[in-house]
Amino acid sequence: MPLGLGGGRRSGVADGSRERAWPEEKLRKDESDGLREERRRVDEELEEKAERVPRTGWVYRKVANPESVSDHMYRMAIMAMVTEDKTLNKDKCIRLALVHDMAECIVGDIAPADNISKEEKHRREEEAMKHLTELLSEDLRKEIFDLWEEYECQSSEEARFVKQLDQCEMILQALEYEELEKRPGTLQDFYDSTTGKFSHPEIVQLVSSINAERSTKIAAANNDLPS
């Protein structure tokens, strides 16, 4: 068969199709690469901001080197990971812990002392979450926003468990700060704010251990005072 009348001509058509399609494919690839790069940049910026934003309660109490929002969420995620409660979706608990304060990297850690209503706080954080997730794919954007909203609304057992972890992590951190700064008993208001808010058996047991250790340290400090 003469060259160009058989396979050669089909090859030429195929090559031409690839040649015509290539610029569109390249544009799509360039656009995809550009989007991935932008998402990576946003992820890095989000992580950096979360690491820089200190937890407001500790700042107001003039704690040296207070934990950041990122520190707080990470330790909560670890606490969620080691739960032995088989009735909970552990994976969801970890994701809730990692998402629940994400908006604070934009709006800051709004504390009760800031005198901002719950409605206004929610509005600001909702806007921040929409901004933070706008470059993500639709599925991922919905997943992260829905997790945040689930925590905000306390609409599941996992969300309520993570809320208790949030408060437990706070008093655990308070215990550590009292010890580090050699000021036992001085952060009592953080403990008072959680009174009656723990119900999950694992967390109740942990809180009991924290309180017992704290009481021992306070008693030891009082015994060391000059008579």
Side-chain angles (χ1 to χ4, degrees), residues 106-172:
I106 290 181
V107 301
D109 181 18
I110 300 172
D114 294 322
N115 294 319
I116 294 173
S117 69
K118 289 183 178 180
E119 293 77 15
E120 175 61 15
K121 179 178 183 290
H122 180 82
R123 186 195 68 77
R124 293 184 188 183
E125 292 183 347
E126 183 177 38
E127 288 301 310
M129 288 302 297
K130 289 177 180 177
H131 174 72
L132 287 170
T133 59
E134 65 184 358
L135 287 176
L136 300 176
S137 67
E138 183 177 352
D139 288 346
L140 190 53
R141 179 169 63 248
K142 185 177 187 305
E143 177 188 359
I144 292 176
F145 189 86
D146 286 354
L147 282 167
W148 174 80
E149 197 164 48
E150 181 177 331
Y151 179 83
E152 282 289 296
C153 298
Q154 292 290 281
S155 58
S156 68
E157 287 300 319
E158 287 78 11
R160 290 186 282 274
F161 173 72
V162 173
K163 180 66 175 179
Q164 291 183 53
L165 283 184
D166 178 65
Q167 295 165 327
C168 179
E169 196 279 335
M170 179 183 70
I171 64 170
L172 177 58

Side-chain angles (χ1 to χ4, degrees), residues 74-133:
Y74 176 75
R75 181 147 73 165
M76 279 180 60
I78 295 297
M79 293 168 77
M81 187 170 68
V82 299
T83 182
E84 296 183 2
D85 187 342
K86 305 300 184 186
T87 68
L88 294 171
N89 181 332
K90 183 184 293 191
D91 180 64
K92 177 182 275 192
C93 289
I94 294 169
R95 288 183 290 131
L96 283 164
L98 291 171
V99 164
H100 82 286
D101 277 344
M102 188 181 290
E104 293 180 5
C105 72
I106 290 181
V107 301
D109 181 18
I110 300 172
D114 294 322
N115 294 319
I116 294 173
S117 69
K118 289 183 178 180
E119 293 77 15
E120 175 61 15
K121 179 178 183 290
H122 180 82
R123 186 195 68 77
R124 293 184 188 183
E125 292 183 347
E126 183 177 38
E127 288 301 310
M129 288 302 297
K130 289 177 180 177
H131 174 72
L132 287 170
T133 59

Side-chain angles (χ1 to χ4, degrees), residues 184-200:
T186 58
L187 297 175
Q188 182 62 40
D189 47 328
F190 290 93
Y191 291 85
D192 292 342
S193 70
T194 66
T195 301
K197 294 185 177 179
F198 301 112
S199 59
H200 190 279

Side-chain angles (χ1 to χ4, degrees), residues 33-49 131-132 134-136:
D33 289 346
L35 187 56
R36 279 196 295 269
E37 177 61 25
E38 180 66 10
R39 287 174 182 167
R40 184 192 63 77
R41 184 191 64 75
V42 170
D43 287 345
E44 290 177 354
E45 183 178 344
L46 170 60
E47 182 178 353
E48 183 182 350
K49 285 182 177 179
H131 174 72
L132 287 170
E134 65 184 358
L135 287 176
L136 300 176

